[in-house]
Structure formats: structure tokens, C-alpha cells
Amino acid sequence: MIKIIKNVDIYMPQYIGKKDILIVADKILKVDKDIVIDGVEVEIIDGDGKKALPGFIDSHVHITGGGGEGGYKTRTPEIVLSDIIRGGITTVIGTLGTDGITRSLENLYAKAKALEEEGVTTFIYTGSYRVPPITFTGSIMKDLILIDKVIGVGEIALSDHRSSQPSLDELKRLTADARVAGILSGKAGKVNIHMGDGKAGLDALIEIVETTEIPITQFYPTHVNRNPDLFNQGLEFAKMGGFIDFTTSSDPVFYEEGEVKASIALKICIEKGLEDNVTLTSDGQGSLPKFNDKREFIGLQVGRVTSLYNEVRDAILDGVPIEKAIKFITVNPARILKLKGKGQIKEGYDADIVLVDEDYCINDVISKGNIMMRNKKLEKVGTFE
């Protein structure tokens, strides 16, 4: 069915005024004032008093669950569609994490396909924490070139006691393979790096950039707001032209221990002119384990995809202009990860749109042209919800 969102304030993410949005099938066909379609059935969506934002992109989600740091019973559950929709998320990148044994790439791919069938766009990373990475085909290059949903490698763990402690040469080869495969396939081919609390921080990535021809943009380190030292090093990394990512799922206790709240990190990056090199991700369904000073497991929570927009909203309420705040979860990840047709409200782009009310709360979610949530009530849920 044809849909028209009428009289809505549109953020592309830049503000372009109050206009209409014409949706045909899964695409945005036109953005203009006073759109009228005669002779066919049209569903009108009242946008008065609302703001239209591009559908949110969460490029780091453990869609098949994660964790296990406290034993088998602490393996976190798979994500469900309703959580994704409540978070205003229309594009998800799935990843494995610590556990690349009981969580398989085959399961990750199948879950991504299932979520796609249920109504959101999905991609995945090949690999997990460890090096050499697990793959579908026995080759990073083959995975990227031959498997449609694979757009990069990760999350590879560094500066973390759970890392496989890869050598510099191993990281160079892995990254070089990802780069060439990305070039050949037209994909981003990024290496998504899990950053831990280790003192080395981003040193290995910087050394590779300084001693090889691999560009700094080949890396996509996440959890960079984990502690003040890593955060400050991350800012320098971004100043060098690199991309960095801040995690929105957290716990107030972590803030007391030095983690930089994502909304605050976002604001600092804007003030320093680094807004185009930074994204936010939720680490949804990933475990948030807590270890003591002996690296012994003492507790765990689960990351939530709904935290993604919550942190953006906190930044907006703290004075960050909405068109700047939403870049971190729309146009920035779309550009960095080469997600065509994503991240903007623009003619010819996918009809992924979130409508927020005057309090910046999510009111309606449209994914691939389908209304998934209307007036804060879910219209679609997962198959087994």
C-alpha cells in the first residue's frame, strides 16, 4: 500500500522543515509539501506535532545472545523483534562475541535471516573474539565476497583478558584480507574491534597504521567509552581520521568506576568537531560481566538495544541539537559500513522512519515501508512472541 506521512518535521538528519513523505512499497518515493495521490488507495499517517527521523542503525548486536563468562547458565538469550522495534531500530548488524564455540556463525546467519523476514534489515560480521577468526568458508575473504550478509570481521578482542592475545602480524594479515575482500565485493570490510580495559588500549591499531599501508579507516573499535584513558586515546584516534564507537548499554556502577556515559561522550565529540567519525551501538543481548581486580567473574547483566536511542535522547535533552545527535545512529554508521539506502530520509532511500513526539519519545516506527509500531503500540512482534 501507498503511505503518506503528512505535515511532519523532517530531519534527514539535517532539518528540512515540515513536509510530507510519500512511501511506495519499501522506498521513499518523494519528500515534498502537500503531496496528493489520486485514483489509488492511500494510507495517511498524521505527522502533525511529530518529528521524522531516519530509522536507527545498531551496528553491534548479539542477536543470537552472548556471554557465558559465568558458566553455561549465564549465556544470554537471543534478541526478539519487539525489543528492536521499541528501540526504533530498523537495521541491525549481528555479531558473535566471547563465545564462538556454542554460538556459531551458521546460527548467527539464520537469526539474521529470520529478523529480516520479520521486518528489519540485517547484516552480520564473520569471526568472533579470537584470532585466527572462525569463518563460514575457511577464509575471511571468501566470507566477505561470497556471503551476502557478511559486511566485515569481528568483534576481534584486544586489550582484554578474554582476548586470544593475537600478534601484530596476525592482526595485519586479518585486516589486510578484510580490506581486499571489501574492495572486491563493494562492502565496507571493516574490522570491528572489541576494546577491553587493558593498558595497551588502541596501541596495536595505531602501530599497524604507522607501519603499513593499511588506512586507519579499516578499523572500527567499539566500547571506546569504557574508561577515561581509552576514551581520550579514542578521541586522538578519531582526530587521526579513524572511526570509533561508544557503547550505550551500561550500568550506573560502571559510571562510578570511570566509564564515560555515551550521551556525554557524544556531546564531547561534537564539541571537538569529531561528530562525523563516531557512532553509538547498544551491544544488545551481549553480557555486561563484572570482574574483580583478580579478573574473577562476580556478576552479569544483559545489554539492551533500547539503550541506543535512550542515550541519544539524553544528549538531546542535555542541549545537543537533534540533527547532530541522531547522526551517530543514522547517517554515520550507514556511511562507515556502506549501507546503501540507509541512514537518511531521502528520495530513493529505504522507507525506514521513526516518528518521535514533542518529548522526543518514540511514537511510530516504519521499517522497509511497514508500520511496526503505531502510537507507541507494537503492530508486529516476532514469530514466537
Side-chain angles (χ1 to χ4, degrees), residues 59-337:
S59 51
H60 190 107
V61 182
H62 297 273
I63 58 176
T64 56
E69 287 92 342
Y72 299 115
K73 67 183 179 183
T74 63
R75 296 168 77 251
T76 65
E78 289 191 359
I79 200 164
V80 293
L81 180 69
S82 59
D83 285 345
I84 294 172
I85 299 306
R86 287 191 184 98
I89 297 161
T90 56
T91 301
V92 176
I93 317 298
T95 184
L96 297 179
T98 315
D99 183 4
I101 303 299
T102 71
R103 314 278 188 178
S104 71
L105 286 175
E106 290 80 5
N107 189 25
L108 187 73
Y109 181 89
K111 179 65 176 182
K113 294 288 281 189
L115 290 171
E116 187 97 32
E117 290 176 1
E118 290 177 337
V120 295
T121 301
T122 60
F123 300 96
I124 62 174
Y125 292 115
T126 189
S128 64
Y129 266 26
R130 304 189 66 78
V131 175
I134 58 171
T135 62
F136 289 99
T137 64
S139 161
I140 287 173
M141 294 187 71
K142 286 183 179 180
D143 280 10
L144 271 160
I145 294 170
L146 301 178
I147 299 177
D148 56 348
K149 286 197 173 296
V150 175
I151 61 169
V153 183
E155 57 178 314
I156 303 298
L158 292 183
S159 298
D160 194 300
H161 63 100
R162 294 164 292 173
S163 166
S164 59
Q165 313 304 325
S167 69
L168 206 62
D169 284 342
E170 286 178 310
L171 283 174
K172 288 177 183 178
R173 176 60 58 83
L174 181 158
T175 306
D177 285 353
R179 175 167 178 76
V180 173
I183 291 170
L184 294 175
S185 64
K187 298 177 181 177
K190 300 292 187 246
V191 180
N192 183 240
I193 304 288
H194 162 102
M195 295 306 307
D197 275 319
K199 293 181 180 179
L202 296 162
D203 288 353
L205 306 188
I206 294 170
E207 184 170 347
I208 290 173
V209 171
E210 292 179 342
T211 59
T212 73
E213 297 75 29
I214 295 171
I216 195 169
T217 52
Q218 201 61 42
F219 297 108
Y220 191 21
T222 188
H223 315 319
V224 177
N225 53 323
R226 184 183 292 277
N227 61 54
D229 290 339
L230 181 60
F231 175 71
N232 289 327
Q233 190 182 30
L235 296 182
E236 293 303 314
F237 191 81
K239 287 179 183 178
M240 294 168 62
F243 303 127
I244 57 174
D245 179 71
F246 302 134
T247 303
T248 58
S249 290
S250 192
D251 184 296
V253 173
F254 296 165
Y255 300 143
E256 295 173 7
E257 296 174 349
E259 182 172 314
V260 183
K261 193 173 186 296
S263 60
I264 295 173
L266 179 160
K267 189 173 183 179
I268 291 171
C269 287
I270 291 173
E271 292 170 350
K272 292 184 176 294
L274 301 173
E275 62 192 74
D276 291 336
N277 290 55
V278 182
T279 63
L280 301 185
T281 58
S282 71
D283 203 15
Q285 299 307 118
S287 65
L288 303 177
K290 186 172 179 57
F291 299 94
N292 61 22
D293 55 5
K294 296 180 181 179
R295 302 299 186 188
E296 296 169 335
F297 174 84
I298 58 175
L300 176 138
Q301 293 188 41
V302 180
R304 300 296 180 190
V305 289
T306 49
S307 68
L308 185 73
Y309 179 67
N310 287 344
E311 286 296 315
V312 170
R313 181 174 180 269
D314 282 353
I316 293 168
L317 295 177
D318 194 33
V320 175
I322 185 171
E323 59 267 31
K324 288 184 175 289
I326 63 172
K327 287 177 62 176
F328 291 72
I329 59 172
T330 58
V331 67
N332 283 6
R335 173 174 45 82
I336 291 168
L337 294 173

